[in-house]
Amino acid sequence: MYRTHNNGALRQSDVGSTVTLSGWVQKSRDKGFMLWIDLRDRYGITQLILDEERTDADLFKKARTLGREFVIQIEGEVIERTSKNPNIPTGEIEVLVTKLTVLNESKTPPFTIEDQTDGGEELRMQYRYLDIRRNPVKENLIFRHKVTQAVRNYLSHEDFIEVETPYLIKSTPEGARDFVVPSRMNEGQFYALPQSPQTFKQLLMVGGLERYFQIVKCFRDEDLRADRQPEFTQIDCEMSFVTQEDILTIFEGLTTHLLKEINGVNIAEFPRITYADAMRKYGNDKPDIRFGMEFGELNAVTQHKEFNVFNQAELVVGIAVPGGNKFTRKEIDKLIDWLRRPQIGALGMVYCRCNEDGTYKSSVDKFYDQEDLAKWADVTGAKAGDLICVLSGAQDTVRTQLSALRMELATRLGLRKPYEFAPLWVVDFPLLEWDEESQRYHAMHHPFTAPKQEDIHLLDSDPGKVRANAYDLVLNGNEIGGGSIRIYDKATQSLMFDHLGFTKEEAKAQFGFLMNAFEYGAPPHGGIAFGLDRLVAILGGQETIRDFIAFPKNNAGRDVMIDAPAPLDNAQLKELHLKLALKS
Amino acid sequence: MYRTHNNGALRQSDVGSTVTLSGWVQKSRDKGFMLWIDLRDRYGITQLILDEERTDADLFKKARTLGREFVIQIEGEVIERTSKNPNIPTGEIEVLVTKLTVLNESKTPPFTIEDQTDGGEELRMQYRYLDIRRNPVKENLIFRHKVTQAVRNYLSHEDFIEVETPYLIKSTPEGARDFVVPSRMNEGQFYALPQSPQTFKQLLMVGGLERYFQIVKCFRDEDLRADRQPEFTQIDCEMSFVTQEDILTIFEGLTTHLLKEINGVNIAEFPRITYADAMRKYGNDKPDIRFGMEFGELNAVTQHKEFNVFNQAELVVGIAVPGGNKFTRKEIDKLIDWLRRPQIGALGMVYCRCNEDGTYKSSVDKFYDQEDLAKWADVTGAKAGDLICVLSGAQDTVRTQLSALRMELATRLGLRKPYEFAPLWVVDFPLLEWDEESQRYHAMHHPFTAPKQEDIHLLDSDPGKVRANAYDLVLNGNEIGGGSIRIYDKATQSLMFDHLGFTKEEAKAQFGFLMNAFEYGAPPHGGIAFGLDRLVAILGGQETIRDFIAFPKNNAGRDVMIDAPAPLDNAQLKELHLKLALKS
């Protein structure tokens, strides 16, 4: 037996008892005649004490040689501390060591195992097993476990069945790139790793399971952007005999439960907004609604003067920045520079100061008088002390730019509070979106999404206008879930594939099994999938998913700790009926 | 809203209410003037009724055209049945239909959706989505969910943290073959899919998590035997600061909890047996102990006569088959034929009938008298009415053969009762086993298993004799879990790699990250992994894992429903820097 107690357990009431503890040497303080050691394990820290007077001389000597991160086992007596530490649960006691065993030594770690010192991203990833010893990372992993347990318990309670779907499936060219797996037993053939269990969960609905979920790894071979992982985890859900309303209700329930259970937050309201309104009011399909700064469309109140920039613009749109009148001219210029960076790409910004005395001072006073500017304030909701920021141009472009500005200013003004939570449903997404590169329409959600019945007649005449029964769950400006009501009959599914440019043969080769299944009594069904990594990060008050993944990969898709991927030997390649075809 | 109730919900007390139901047409009985429809969903069956008198003529006509597996929605009034069916929960009522909507039609399914009719393995797999509609398969999936929930709740309660380890890892030539995944972004390099999260869970212990578990998919590219799957699920666990005893205790707890929670069975005892004893008493390292028939070693009481077959044998060993004296001569001859099949490979069998009058009649009466045979009975524990079956030959071979005979007879005699549960720990496994093919020792469990301290000195002189701190959990003759205390220092791990024939370079290339980790204060640790598919099957009283997997693959590793694996197009191969190297 390695221990009688963990290092977070001992209290005043244990004084007098003999205990055995194990753990890591967090640090030692050696006063010559007296030595304190902080002994750490997953549960906490216990202070050990040895001194010349009470400790056996050999033991004392041995204890003085212990380095940081040595693994030791001790026996000793719990005594009351003379100077107590109210900051840790074990702060009232210490353990007078009577026996010491070194279980394992440690080289000096490349960074110290402390909350604030992490040695930088590179070292952290290479020595992830040491990084995990640090409280912030360890607590994140424990937090993730708690969230997944809460999700599983909630959904199980709601009669959902977790079903494991296969990982070795079939490659489909639609969507992102698949990771593939060569089959040794089936020469020249490949499995693919799932980008999501989409078709399998639909087949489970055809199979009559009615309520399915799975917390499941998914894989996408994409060029990695910051904070994307080639493997990621989804809470994947599907239900039968449901309308969109049923699904929204159930998953409002899940979200509310998680915020209550995990964060102790009661969600009073769960608003909904259409995609069209979200774009109009926030320039964004995942708006952060924890603060105002809603867009005000200014065409009507700006396009009657000689200012050609506005007159020629498809959209003139502004936001009122609360308290923004305190920005100096220099600060505003920097903001305009920020907007002009290629990542945003605005040509410039018109602004208008709302003075405390009710007057206005704009950067375009040559064209607009006080009465005009008062209308701007009215439309954007600006109050005295605010700054109105106005962008203009092509509608989609300018909305994206103003949305970026809105989020940036909110961050700078401290309006995006990590532990304030505002969920939001965005509904009525377009079914299709135009892809410039391939010059055709793509499914905005995926090809199994049902169009709204009342919009189907537009499929031929105006496909971009067709709305889908699709919805996203947004939390604090992040999309944490997305789903749709599915097509469940072969005829509509065929129609969709036609509009997505699939030939009958392609559709059959890739999704024949699903379309066949639809011929045997598929029930109406729909579902949703949550990105677990992001959900956990946001509930944890953070936005970096990597800190909530035990062993993440870097932006080149590498695991730098185990050094993967790596070359295969030729025998292995031969068995797989493969040759390398390297460019270099 | 598709329904007010599910099809298992309505009772006598609902009579008089108007309900909306949805589901599949299980079957119709059309009496001309009256029509009954069994409406099915996940929750049960509700009987619908329409008749000439009470039903609108058009509705009645429409209802008569419904085929099996049509998906319908109905509205109607709950009425009391005239002839009640006590076999189903909704048997007291029926629903008089007033409105009918066909939600989806169905072609005639290739097999009927009934408990007993399944159309055979081939069709079932091809139309798995229809197979899942059948109660036995549906119930198995729900059962699997219940088991995994019970496992997760138990382990969470015991402070275990579920941590997701990566799926895209590094290939290691040791052990079974890896499935590999070419990396597009890292030219000429490959990930491997994990055969188990072994090294990662050990790194989590180095990382100080102390109690880890994960229910996780694992992958092995093996030539598939019956009832093996290329992807399978493991309950993977690891603990720090524990001895073997601690681990056995915790997982006895888990097993006992599952048997209680899932099967309502109280386990009174949880015996342990050494590997050596298991081989001696059962010829098997996963003995089924629900029935006796323990081996009796007969060398001492058989090798003193003129019977050369026994005199020359390394081992003469027998079992007493309860009530076996009732076997006819013909039946015994068939048993001997069964033993002689190449799968078993015995040369023959000596037997001895134990007559009710206390006399014996053996197939070798020429050599052995009544007094000799009485000793056989004594050693094997045979009673009047039993049959003693004796095999002889090389020890390992003959034990395997007699074990096969023991299991076969137990099955034939109905002694392997599916709902009787007898767990057993097998401990003290050998560390190494000799591999004839490669002419070297392999790790019996895996290369991270700790040898018993007291046996380490045998590593050079007699490696086959070194015992490991390794244990298997056996349930009803199946290995459901296996684990070990791990090596946690670099020196011992190095020593192991040496004995397994790794060069320093190979060890470093493959496991360098683990050996590095061991230099930074690795704690003592150990763990266990359960095969979830088999565990669930056994708890479910069955032995075929395929029936507890939603979408299993066939023996060629194919998913015949989605037709995977499949060829890739050339563009995809090119992106992956690969060419096919086909034999044909």
Side-chain angles (χ1 to χ4, degrees):
Chain A
M1 196 192 54
Y2 281 99
R3 57 187 175 193
T4 54
H5 297 75
N6 66 49
N7 287 315
L10 295 172
R11 298 286 182 278
Q12 179 89 39
S13 57
D14 296 299
V15 167
S17 39
T18 300
V19 297
T20 305
L21 302 176
S22 290
W24 287 266
V25 173
Q26 174 72 25
K27 63 178 180 209
S28 307
R29 272 165 303 144
D30 192 339
K31 294 255 181 186
F33 60 97
M34 197 170 259
L35 175 72
W36 287 277
I37 296 169
D38 278 355
L39 187 66
R40 187 196 70 232
D41 63 15
R42 170 175 143 192
Y43 301 91
I45 282 184
T46 302
Q47 181 167 294
L48 310 180
I49 183 166
L50 304 93
D51 63 31
E52 278 184 342
E53 204 176 310
R54 291 174 291 179
T55 310
D56 165 88
D58 284 347
L59 172 55
F60 192 53
K61 201 171 141 197
K62 186 171 164 192
R64 294 178 81 172
T65 66
L66 295 174
R68 273 183 187 249
E69 300 308 315
F70 274 41
V71 186
I72 62 171
Q73 183 186 33
I74 64 100
E75 214 178 277
E77 191 194 338
V78 183
I79 58 178
E80 189 168 353
R81 280 203 211 184
T82 41
S83 86
K84 298 188 178 168
N85 177 354
N87 300 321
I88 61 169
T90 60
E92 295 190 304
I93 58 91
E94 56 195 356
V95 173
L96 182 65
V97 177
T98 54
K99 201 172 149 192
L100 166 67
T101 311
V102 175
L103 297 172
N104 217 344
E105 301 193 347
S106 175
K107 294 205 295 195
T108 305
F111 49 86
T112 51
I113 310 302
E114 282 171 2
D115 292 9
Q116 300 307 328
T117 342
D118 64 18
E121 188 76 1
E122 277 283 313
L123 272 182
R124 284 181 62 196
M125 289 304 134
Q126 197 184 337
Y127 294 92
R128 185 63 162 177
Y129 45 87
L130 297 179
D131 196 30
I132 291 172
R133 280 191 202 158
R134 296 173 51 242
N135 282 324
V137 182
K138 182 190 75 181
E139 293 303 332
N140 283 354
L141 296 180
I142 294 174
F143 184 79
R144 183 183 179 114
H145 169 67
K146 282 189 187 147
V147 173
T148 58
Q149 272 294 104
V151 169
R152 283 196 162 96
N153 288 336
Y154 184 86
L155 291 176
S156 299
H157 184 76
E158 292 288 338
D159 252 1
F160 285 78
I161 303 298
E162 185 162 21
V163 178
E164 296 177 58
T165 54
Y167 278 83
L168 297 172
I169 66 165
K170 191 171 175 170
S171 188
T172 54
E174 180 71 1
R177 276 190 206 86
D178 289 322
F179 282 104
V180 299
V181 181
S183 167
R184 183 179 54 85
M185 294 213 284
N186 300 275
E187 202 180 316
Q189 301 192 13
F190 294 75
Y191 303 98
L193 299 178
Q195 295 185 29
S196 90
Q198 183 64 32
T199 49
F200 288 96
K201 69 175 173 176
Q202 294 195 244
L203 291 172
L204 288 172
M205 295 305 104
V206 178
L209 271 197
E210 300 196 17
R211 291 187 169 205
Y212 144 92
F213 83 103
Q214 188 182 191
I215 299 186
V216 61
K217 273 282 174 78
C218 301
F219 304 85
R220 253 172 235 177
D221 184 12
E222 292 175 306
D223 298 317
L224 298 174
R225 287 179 289 170
D227 219 27
R228 278 272 182 116
Q229 290 283 317
E231 50 178 305
F232 55 96
T233 307
Q234 220 167 266
I235 307 169
D236 194 49
C237 307
E238 196 79 5
M239 305 173 74
S240 292
F241 301 116
V242 287
T243 59
Q244 173 169 316
E245 190 59 36
D246 297 319
I247 295 184
L248 299 193
T249 304
I250 283 276
F251 292 98
E252 273 182 30
L254 172 64
T255 310
T256 304
H257 174 78
L258 289 179
L259 285 166
K260 175 78 189 152
E261 182 90 343
I262 302 291
N263 298 86
V265 169
N266 288 306
I267 292 301
E269 53 182 22
F270 217 115
R272 298 179 190 180
I273 191 173
T274 64
Y275 172 86
D277 282 350
M279 295 311 287
R280 206 170 43 74
K281 285 167 77 174
Y282 302 101
N284 198 318
D285 62 2
K286 41 178 199 283
D288 190 336
I289 56 165
R290 287 174 297 177
F291 51 92
M293 288 203 262
E294 288 180 17
F295 288 14
E297 299 196 345
L298 299 166
N299 294 38
V301 296
T302 57
Q303 294 183 333
H304 59 294
K305 291 288 172 70
E306 301 299 295
F307 189 47
N308 272 334
V309 175
F310 282 179
N311 292 347
Q312 287 161 10
E314 186 185 2
L315 179 66
V316 181
V317 60
I319 50 173
V321 183
N325 191 26
K326 70 171 185 289
F327 292 172
T328 63
R329 172 64 194 260
K330 206 168 155 192
E331 283 170 329
I332 293 177
D333 283 346
K334 281 180 96 172
L335 207 57
I336 295 174
D337 288 344
W338 183 90
L339 276 167
R340 281 183 171 145
R341 293 175 317 140
Q343 296 94 310
I344 311 288
L347 294 173
M349 181 181 90
V350 165
Y351 63 89
C352 172
R353 292 178 177 281
C354 306
N355 296 319
E356 295 295 346
D357 63 5
T359 64
Y360 300 97
K361 175 85 191 83
S362 84
S363 58
V364 284
D365 278 353
K366 199 159 85 180
F367 302 104
Y368 299 98
D369 56 27
Q370 290 291 312
E371 197 180 330
D372 292 324
L373 297 174
K375 285 180 189 157
W376 295 18
D378 185 44
V379 172
T380 59
K383 290 180 192 57
D386 291 356
L387 179 75
I388 304 172
C389 298
V390 182
L391 300 183
S392 64
Q395 176 178 288
D396 294 355
T397 312
V398 79
R399 281 178 172 170
T400 306
Q401 292 165 350
L402 191 61
S403 171
L405 179 65
R406 176 176 177 270
M407 294 297 274
E408 175 67 17
L409 286 169
T411 304
R412 292 190 192 179
L413 296 169
L415 301 174
R416 306 194 64 201
K417 300 195 184 81
Y419 291 103
E420 187 180 317
F421 296 96
L424 170 75
W425 284 112
V426 180
V427 298
D428 296 356
F429 273 80
L431 182 69
L432 303 167
E433 63 185 343
W434 181 253
D435 182 59
E436 279 300 331
E437 201 184 323
S438 55
Q439 287 288 304
R440 63 179 180 85
Y441 280 102
H442 282 254
M444 190 154 184
H445 191 53
H446 55 52
F448 314 109
T449 300
K452 280 195 186 285
Q453 207 56 41
E454 62 268 34
D455 288 0
I456 285 190
H457 68 280
L458 296 168
L459 258 179
D460 286 313
S461 55
D462 197 354
K465 279 269 184 305
V466 179
R467 291 166 306 159
N469 284 317
Y471 32 83
D472 275 358
L473 182 55
V474 173
L475 185 58
N476 296 1
N478 295 276
E479 181 206 325
I480 57 162
S484 63
I485 295 297
R486 324 299 183 187
I487 296 166
Y488 65 101
D489 64 295
K490 193 172 172 175
T492 312
Q493 191 63 68
S494 258
L495 188 70
M496 264 305 277
F497 284 137
D498 290 348
H499 278 88
L500 294 171
F502 282 74
T503 64
K504 294 279 179 228
E505 291 66 38
E506 284 166 350
K508 187 165 179 231
Q510 287 172 41
F511 300 109
F513 56 98
L514 187 64
M515 291 171 75
N516 283 342
F518 283 175
E519 296 199 289
Y520 291 99
H525 62 288
I528 192 167
F530 294 83
L532 178 68
D533 305 301
R534 185 152 314 279
L535 175 65
V536 170
I538 294 170
L539 294 179
Q542 298 176 39
E543 295 205 349
T544 309
I545 64 171
R546 218 169 279 196
D547 291 339
F548 289 84
I549 297 173
F551 300 102
K553 293 187 171 57
N554 73 9
N555 281 348
R558 294 199 70 82
D559 182 326
V560 296
M561 179 186 70
I562 62 170
D563 194 24
L568 284 192
D569 63 32
N570 282 328
Q572 230 173 326
L573 281 174
K574 202 177 158 192
E575 269 197 331
L576 296 170
H577 324 289
L578 289 179
K579 265 192 246 175
L580 296 182
L582 305 182
K583 272 176 255 145
S584 43
Chain B
M1 197 192 51
Y2 281 99
R3 57 189 174 193
T4 54
H5 298 75
N6 66 49
N7 287 315
L10 295 173
R11 298 287 182 276
Q12 180 88 42
S13 58
D14 297 299
V15 167
S17 39
T18 299
V19 297
T20 305
L21 303 175
S22 290
W24 287 266
V25 174
Q26 174 72 24
K27 62 177 179 209
S28 308
R29 272 166 302 143
D30 191 339
K31 296 257 183 186
F33 61 98
M34 197 170 259
L35 175 72
W36 287 277
I37 296 168
D38 278 356
L39 187 66
R40 188 197 70 234
D41 63 15
R42 171 176 144 192
Y43 302 90
I45 283 185
T46 302
Q47 180 167 293
L48 310 180
I49 183 166
L50 305 94
D51 62 31
E52 280 185 339
E53 207 175 309
R54 290 175 292 180
T55 311
D56 165 89
D58 284 345
L59 171 55
F60 192 54
K61 200 172 141 196
K62 184 172 167 192
R64 295 178 80 172
T65 66
L66 297 174
R68 275 185 185 248
E69 301 307 315
F70 274 43
V71 186
I72 62 171
Q73 182 187 34
I74 63 100
E75 214 178 278
E77 190 194 338
V78 184
I79 57 177
E80 189 169 355
R81 278 203 214 184
T82 41
S83 83
K84 296 186 178 168
N85 177 354
N87 300 320
I88 59 170
T90 59
E92 295 190 302
I93 57 90
E94 56 195 355
V95 174
L96 182 66
V97 177
T98 54
K99 201 172 151 192
L100 165 67
T101 311
V102 175
L103 298 172
N104 216 343
E105 301 194 350
S106 175
K107 293 206 295 194
T108 306
F111 49 87
T112 50
I113 310 302
E114 282 171 4
D115 292 9
Q116 300 306 327
T117 341
D118 64 18
E121 188 76 3
E122 277 283 314
L123 271 181
R124 283 181 62 197
M125 290 305 134
Q126 197 185 338
Y127 295 91
R128 185 63 161 177
Y129 45 85
L130 296 179
D131 196 30
I132 291 171
R133 280 190 203 160
R134 296 172 53 242
N135 282 322
V137 183
K138 181 191 74 183
E139 293 303 333
N140 283 353
L141 296 179
I142 294 174
F143 184 80
R144 182 182 179 115
H145 168 68
K146 283 189 188 148
V147 174
T148 57
Q149 272 294 103
V151 169
R152 284 197 161 97
N153 289 334
Y154 184 86
L155 292 175
S156 300
H157 185 76
E158 292 288 335
D159 252 1
F160 284 78
I161 303 299
E162 186 162 19
V163 178
E164 295 177 59
T165 54
Y167 278 82
L168 296 173
I169 65 165
K170 191 173 176 169
S171 190
T172 55
E174 181 71 1
R177 277 190 205 86
D178 288 323
F179 282 104
V180 299
V181 181
S183 167
R184 182 179 54 85
M185 292 212 284
N186 300 274
E187 201 178 319
Q189 300 192 14
F190 294 76
Y191 303 98
L193 300 178
Q195 294 185 28
S196 89
Q198 184 63 33
T199 48
F200 288 95
K201 70 176 173 175
Q202 294 195 244
L203 291 171
L204 288 172
M205 294 305 103
V206 177
L209 270 199
E210 299 197 20
R211 292 187 168 203
Y212 144 91
F213 83 104
Q214 187 182 192
I215 298 187
V216 61
K217 272 283 174 77
C218 302
F219 303 86
R220 254 172 234 177
D221 185 11
E222 292 176 305
D223 297 318
L224 298 175
R225 287 180 288 170
D227 220 27
R228 280 270 184 117
Q229 291 283 319
E231 51 177 304
F232 55 96
T233 307
Q234 220 167 263
I235 308 169
D236 194 50
C237 308
E238 197 80 3
M239 305 172 76
S240 293
F241 301 115
V242 286
T243 59
Q244 175 169 315
E245 190 58 35
D246 297 320
I247 294 184
L248 299 193
T249 304
I250 282 277
F251 292 98
E252 274 182 29
L254 172 64
T255 310
T256 304
H257 173 77
L258 289 179
L259 285 167
K260 176 80 188 149
E261 183 91 343
I262 302 291
N263 297 86
V265 169
N266 288 305
I267 293 301
E269 53 182 21
F270 217 116
R272 297 179 189 181
I273 191 172
T274 65
Y275 172 85
D277 281 349
M279 295 310 286
R280 206 169 43 73
K281 286 168 76 173
Y282 303 101
N284 198 317
D285 63 1
K286 43 177 198 283
D288 190 335
I289 57 164
R290 285 175 298 176
F291 51 93
M293 288 202 263
E294 288 180 15
F295 289 12
E297 298 196 346
L298 299 166
N299 293 39
V301 296
T302 57
Q303 293 182 333
H304 59 296
K305 290 291 172 70
E306 301 298 295
F307 188 46
N308 272 333
V309 175
F310 281 0
N311 292 348
Q312 289 162 8
E314 186 185 2
L315 179 66
V316 182
V317 60
I319 51 172
V321 183
N325 191 26
K326 70 170 186 289
F327 292 172
T328 62
R329 173 65 195 261
K330 208 170 151 189
E331 282 170 331
I332 294 177
D333 284 346
K334 281 181 93 170
L335 207 57
I336 296 175
D337 289 344
W338 184 88
L339 277 166
R340 281 182 169 145
R341 293 175 316 139
Q343 297 94 311
I344 311 288
L347 294 173
M349 179 181 90
V350 165
Y351 64 88
C352 171
R353 293 178 177 280
C354 307
N355 296 319
E356 294 295 344
D357 62 6
T359 63
Y360 300 97
K361 176 81 190 85
S362 84
S363 58
V364 285
D365 277 355
K366 200 157 83 183
F367 303 104
Y368 301 98
D369 57 25
Q370 290 291 312
E371 200 180 325
D372 292 324
L373 297 174
K375 285 178 189 156
W376 296 18
D378 186 44
V379 172
T380 59
K383 290 180 193 60
D386 291 357
L387 178 76
I388 306 173
C389 298
V390 183
L391 300 182
S392 64
Q395 176 178 289
D396 293 355
T397 313
V398 78
R399 280 177 172 170
T400 306
Q401 292 165 349
L402 191 60
S403 170
L405 179 65
R406 176 177 176 270
M407 293 297 273
E408 175 68 17
L409 285 169
T411 304
R412 290 191 194 178
L413 295 169
L415 302 173
R416 307 194 64 202
K417 300 196 185 79
Y419 291 104
E420 187 181 319
F421 296 96
L424 171 76
W425 285 112
V426 180
V427 297
D428 295 356
F429 272 80
L431 182 70
L432 304 167
E433 63 185 343
W434 181 254
D435 181 59
E436 279 300 329
E437 203 186 322
S438 56
Q439 287 288 304
R440 63 178 181 87
Y441 280 101
H442 282 253
M444 191 152 181
H445 192 54
H446 56 51
F448 314 109
T449 300
K452 281 195 185 284
Q453 208 54 42
E454 62 268 35
D455 289 0
I456 285 190
H457 69 281
L458 296 168
L459 259 179
D460 285 313
S461 55
D462 197 354
K465 279 270 183 300
V466 179
R467 291 166 306 160
N469 283 319
Y471 33 82
D472 275 359
L473 182 55
V474 173
L475 185 58
N476 297 1
N478 296 276
E479 181 206 324
I480 57 164
S484 63
I485 295 296
R486 325 298 184 187
I487 297 166
Y488 66 99
D489 64 296
K490 193 175 175 175
T492 312
Q493 190 63 68
S494 255
L495 187 70
M496 264 305 277
F497 284 140
D498 289 348
H499 277 88
L500 293 172
F502 282 74
T503 65
K504 294 276 179 232
E505 291 67 38
E506 284 166 352
K508 186 163 180 235
Q510 287 172 41
F511 299 110
F513 56 98
L514 188 63
M515 292 172 74
N516 283 343
F518 283 175
E519 296 198 291
Y520 290 99
H525 62 288
I528 191 167
F530 294 83
L532 178 67
D533 304 302
R534 186 155 312 281
L535 174 64
V536 170
I538 294 169
L539 294 179
Q542 298 176 41
E543 295 205 348
T544 308
I545 64 172
R546 217 170 279 196
D547 292 340
F548 288 84
I549 297 172
F551 299 102
K553 293 189 173 54
N554 73 10
N555 281 347
R558 292 199 73 81
D559 182 326
V560 295
M561 180 186 69
I562 63 170
D563 195 24
L568 284 191
D569 63 33
N570 283 327
Q572 229 173 327
L573 281 173
K574 201 177 161 192
E575 269 197 332
L576 297 169
H577 324 288
L578 290 179
K579 264 192 240 172
L580 296 183
L582 305 183
K583 274 177 256 145
S584 45

